[in-house]
Amino acid sequence: MTAPPLTLQWGRERYSLKYDEEDMRDTTLGQFKEVCREVTGVPSTRMKLIFSGATMKDDSSPLASYGIYPGATVKLIGRKEDAEKSAPVTAQDREENALIHKIDDIANHTTDVLSSRMKAYLADAQLYIDQFLSGSLDGPNGGALSEIKTTERKKLNDAYMFINETLMQSLLKIDGIECPPEAEKARQRRRQAVKLLQSWMDQMDRKKESVKQAELTISM
């Protein structure tokens, strides 16, 4: 069942924004203000958002923390800069801007979560190859080294599984965002996001394969 849209009320204007419960948990007030800015043209620094009679102030808090739910109405108070010079914003523009924001939000969140983890995995995988797969583990310390190798291999596998699963979930979320044929900017942004995340998956898979091939070589 499709969640009812969130209503943004700005004076006499009303805008329907597609936000489900998961979006409410993942979207901060600051990010929502940017969507409101794209929709209304009111600068985020000059707007006040009110829900259930209370002004929302903490930009870092998710919408859900304010009790907002699908189908609720949020009131916006604020004025556009140079309103008389601004080009009219169509309903199609508002819908496309909202889609672009959702795509960017997923891509940016994935980057924040995985950027340092991917760098660490790639470096650790190469270190694993150089230290444990480039020579023999025979000798007086062979048993201890073998145990360390097993531990490090498990760490690599766990890191790979987490990163790969996170990328898959993000790709599925982006793929689930329906962009109508006329929303070319949103469709292009979706293609770019998919291409970026897929390139990360390919990079991870190549390094994983390098580890596998090194292990096969030393076992021969």
Side-chain angles (χ1 to χ4, degrees):
M1 180 178 178
T2 303
L6 177 67
T7 298
L8 176 66
Q9 181 180 343
W10 178 44
R12 296 182 179 180
E13 301 291 335
R14 288 179 174 268
Y15 307 97
S16 295
L17 306 176
K18 293 182 179 179
Y19 280 84
D20 56 25
E21 292 183 358
E22 183 177 359
D23 295 327
M24 301 294 182
R25 294 191 297 268
D26 294 342
T27 304
T28 65
L29 177 61
Q31 293 168 336
F32 183 64
K33 282 183 176 179
E34 285 302 305
V35 174
C36 294
R37 179 189 62 78
E38 294 172 352
V39 168
T40 65
V42 177
S44 58
T45 55
R46 296 177 56 183
M47 69 173 60
K48 181 186 294 186
L49 292 175
I50 300 174
F51 176 68
S52 192
T55 300
M56 298 182 286
K57 297 181 179 180
D58 185 0
D59 287 350
S60 64
S61 295
L63 296 182
S65 68
Y66 293 100
I68 300 176
Y69 53 88
T73 297
V74 175
K75 294 183 179 181
L76 184 153
I77 298 177
R79 298 175 58 185
K80 291 192 291 186
E81 293 179 335
D82 299 325
E84 66 279 2
K85 298 179 181 180
S86 299
V89 179
T90 65
Q92 181 177 322
D93 290 336
R94 292 193 295 269
E95 178 72 17
E96 184 166 20
N97 287 336
L99 290 172
I100 291 173
H101 172 78
K102 293 185 72 172
I103 294 168
D104 286 347
D105 187 44
I106 295 172
N108 291 337
H109 175 72
T110 306
T111 299
D112 291 342
V113 172
L114 296 184
S115 181
S116 60
R117 291 176 181 268
M118 281 190 60
K119 290 179 181 179
Y121 172 82
L122 295 174
D124 290 345
Q126 189 58 50
L127 186 62
Y128 174 81
I129 293 174
D130 294 340
Q131 288 189 341
F132 297 108
L133 303 182
S134 59
S136 174
L137 296 181
D138 296 333
N141 297 320
L145 289 174
S146 180
E147 185 175 337
I148 294 174
K149 173 188 172 183
T150 300
T151 300
E152 292 303 314
R153 186 66 177 88
K154 183 179 184 304
K155 288 181 180 179
L156 282 179
N157 185 66
D158 290 345
Y160 173 86
M161 293 298 293
F162 176 83
I163 294 170
N164 192 65
E165 179 64 24
T166 302
L167 287 171
M168 284 295 297
Q169 290 179 359
S170 297
L171 284 168
L172 288 173
K173 287 181 179 179
I174 292 175
D175 188 58
I177 298 176
E178 297 184 7
C179 300
E182 62 273 14
E184 182 53 37
K185 291 181 180 179
R187 292 168 66 87
Q188 181 178 3
R189 189 67 62 87
R190 185 175 63 179
R191 288 194 295 268
Q192 291 172 343
V194 169
K195 184 177 180 180
L196 173 65
L197 299 186
Q198 186 62 59
S199 70
W200 289 356
M201 291 189 72
D202 293 342
Q203 189 175 5
M204 294 290 296
D205 288 342
R206 286 195 297 270
K207 181 56 70 175
K208 180 184 179 184
E209 183 63 22
S210 296
V211 172
K212 181 179 178 181
Q213 289 301 319
E215 288 176 331
L216 289 174
T217 299
I218 199 172
S219 65
M220 294 176 63

